[in-house]
Amino acid sequence: MSSRLRLLAVTAALTMLGSTVLVGLTSAANAATWAPTATQPLALANATALGAAAPNTPLRLTIGLSPHNRAGLDALIRAQSTPGAPQFEQFLTPAQFTAQFAAPAAAATQVANYLTASGMTAVQIASNRLQVTADATVAQAEAAFHTAIGRFNQAGRTVLANTAAAQVPAALGGVVSGVLGLSTLGAATTPTPTAPKLTGYYPSEFTKVYDATKTGTGVGSTLAIIAEGDLTQTVKDLRTAEKARSLPQVPVSIVRTGIASPDTAGVDEWDLDTQTSTGLAPNLKRLYLYDGTSLSDADLAREINTFVAQDVAQAGSASLGECDLLPYLDGSMLVDDMAFAEAAAQGQTFFASSGDTGSSCPVAPTNGVPGSGPTDTSYPASSPYVVGIGGTTLYTDTADNYQAEIAWNAGGGGTSPVENGGYWQNGVVPTSAALLRGVPDVAFDADPNTGALIYVNGAPLQIGGTSLSSPLALGAWTRMQSDHHNRLGFAAPKLYAIYSAAQTMAPLPPATVPASFHDVVLGGNGLYAATPGWDYTTGLGSWDVNLLDKALR
C-alpha cells in the first residue's frame, strides 16, 4: 500500500476516534498558475474554530527546497555503511553535500526573491540550501502561498492552522517541497518526574549498568541536544550536577536558531537531556545546545537543519515527538527527512524518543498517558534516518550490575503509516517486506520507577520516560565514537548489520541475539508485546556497550 493510501486509511480511523490530533484531508482546486507543495490543509478534531487569523499576526516560515538526486543520496548512505565499498566510512562535508545534492543556487535565490517580493523580511537561504527562512504576516503568507489560515481553540490553547493547501507559483513548482509555519502546532516533550527514591540512578551510574566502563569517555567527541527557550537554568543545573557527582565541566555552546524565548517550561526536559548524555560521556570536547524559539514544526526544522548544516556534533538527540500524521500533512516530515539524510551522509547520528504513550502517539492534552492517543508512531523517531529509542524497566543488583529489562508499558512503538523503513531493517523487522518503518530501533531505561536522578533547579529529582532513554543512547554512542576516532558514522545500518550477522546460521524466528544486545522478551506497550528478537516495544533491545564497541571494530 502506498504512503498516501496508508495515510488516508489511518486518517479515517482517527476521525472516528475523535482524537485531538490533526486529522482529515480536504480538497483544494489548484489554479492553473499554482503548483502544489507537500503542505496539506489541516482540520482540527475536538477544536473550536475562532475565525480567520488576524492579517497582521506574525509568522516564522521555513520553506523546504527540493534536493537534487535523492536516489543518489540514498545509494551513497548505503555504500558508506557497506564494508568493501569505495565509499565505506567516507563521509561528506557540508560543502560536499551542498555541491552534490542540495537545491541549485539559482533555485534557492528564486525562492528567496519571491518571498522578498511578497513583502517578507529576514529572508535567508540556509548554507546547505535545503531551506529558506523568512518572517511574514498571515496576510503575506496567505497571498504568497494561495492558502487560508484560521484560529482555533484546542486543549485550552489558541493555535493557528492553515485550512487550505499551500501552493506556489507554477515557476516554483518542484523547487519548493513544503511550507512550514502556517500552523503553530508541533512536538511536545514528556519527561515523567517522580518523588526521589533510592531505586533511581545518577546518569554516571548507567555507565556500569550498561557495561560502558571499558570504552572511551567521550574524549575528542561532540554531541548536541535539541532544546527550546531560556537555557540559563539548564546550564546552571548541569554545573550543579557535575560538581555534586565529581564530573569534569563539559564545555557548552548555545546555538540560537531563532528569536530568543523566555520560556522555561522545559527546564526539566533539557536538564534530563544534558545531564544524562554528558553523565555517560563526561570527557566531551563540547556539548552543543540548539535553542529554538518554540517547538513548532517550523522552528524545529530550523534547529534540525542548523545541527546538520554546521556539522560540528557527531551525534544529537531530541526527546520530543508528535504523531506522524501532523508532520506528514504540514510538510515538515519531507523537509526534516532531507536534513536527517544529509546528517547520515555526513556521518552524523540522530537519536529521538519513541514516545511515552505506548502503541499510541502523543496528543494534547493527554501526552504521556499510555494508550491515550490514536495508534501511530511518533516523529522524528519514525524517520528512517533517525535512530528511534524505546523504553524499558531496568533491573540491577545493589551494585548496579545489569540483571534484566522488560518493556516499559508506555514506551512508544509500532509501524509508521507514512514512513518507509531503511534497507537495514530488511530481514529483521517483520514489516520490512512491505517497506514500512518499524519503531523503535533500540531501547533503554525509561520507567520513572527506575529512572534518572537529575538536578532540576538545583535539587535532584527522579525522572523517566523515553526522554531519558534517548540521551542514554546518545551518551553511550558517544563513548564508542571516542574509541573509533569519530568515524562510526550513521548508527542504524551498523547496528542492524551486527544483529543480522548473528542470524546467518539461525534465521528468524527464533532470533539469535548477538552478545552486544540485551534481548528484552517480557512486557508490552499496549498493542505489542516484547518477544525474542526485534519487536515493536524495544526494537533490537539495549546495548552491552563494551561488547558492541568491540563488534564495531
Side-chain angles (χ1 to χ4, degrees), residues 202-204 223-228 230-242 247-254 266-284 286-291 316-319 452-457 463 467-468 470-472 474-476 478:
Y202 286 100
S204 58
L223 58 79
I225 298 295
I226 298 296
E228 172 270 337
D230 186 347
L231 303 181
T232 304
Q233 186 61 44
T234 294
V235 177
K236 289 182 179 178
D237 285 336
L238 176 61
R239 299 306 180 214
T240 298
E242 290 167 338
L247 297 173
Q249 280 198 3
V250 172
V252 175
S253 291
I254 297 177
V267 166
D268 54 349
E269 177 64 71
W270 321 134
D271 284 346
L272 180 61
D273 289 346
T274 55
Q275 292 173 41
T276 300
S277 57
T278 65
L280 263 74
N283 295 112
L284 283 174
R286 185 162 295 275
L287 165 66
Y288 290 90
L289 300 179
Y290 286 90
D291 185 13
S317 174
S319 293
L453 292 165
I454 301 297
Y455 284 84
V456 179
N457 294 317
I463 308 179
S467 292
L468 165 62
S470 185
L472 276 174
L474 174 63
T478 300

Side-chain angles (χ1 to χ4, degrees), residues 105-180:
T109 299
Q110 186 181 16
V111 173
N113 289 342
Y114 175 68
L115 300 181
T116 301
S118 299
M120 301 181 194
T121 59
V123 177
Q124 185 172 358
I125 301 172
S127 61
N128 60 354
R129 295 204 299 273
L130 292 184
Q131 297 178 0
V132 180
T133 56
D135 293 340
T137 65
V138 163
Q140 290 168 345
E142 288 179 328
F145 302 112
H146 202 240
T147 188
I149 301 174
R151 292 174 65 245
F152 300 85
N153 182 285
Q154 186 183 56
R157 65 190 183 109
T158 300
V159 297
L160 302 183
N162 57 295
T163 57
Q167 301 173 42
V168 292
L172 298 180
V175 175
V176 172
S177 59
V179 181
L180 315 183

Side-chain angles (χ1 to χ4, degrees), residues 255-310:
V255 182
R256 187 166 289 128
T257 61
I259 301 169
S261 167
D263 184 24
T264 58
V267 166
D268 54 349
E269 177 64 71
W270 321 134
D271 284 346
L272 180 61
D273 289 346
T274 55
Q275 292 173 41
T276 300
S277 57
T278 65
L280 263 74
N283 295 112
L284 283 174
K285 180 179 180 181
R286 185 162 295 275
L287 165 66
Y288 290 90
L289 300 179
Y290 286 90
D291 185 13
T293 304
S294 75
L295 296 181
S296 72
D297 283 350
D299 284 341
L300 277 174
R302 295 188 187 195
E303 288 191 75
I304 292 166
N305 197 61
T306 303
F307 158 76
V308 174
Q310 289 186 343

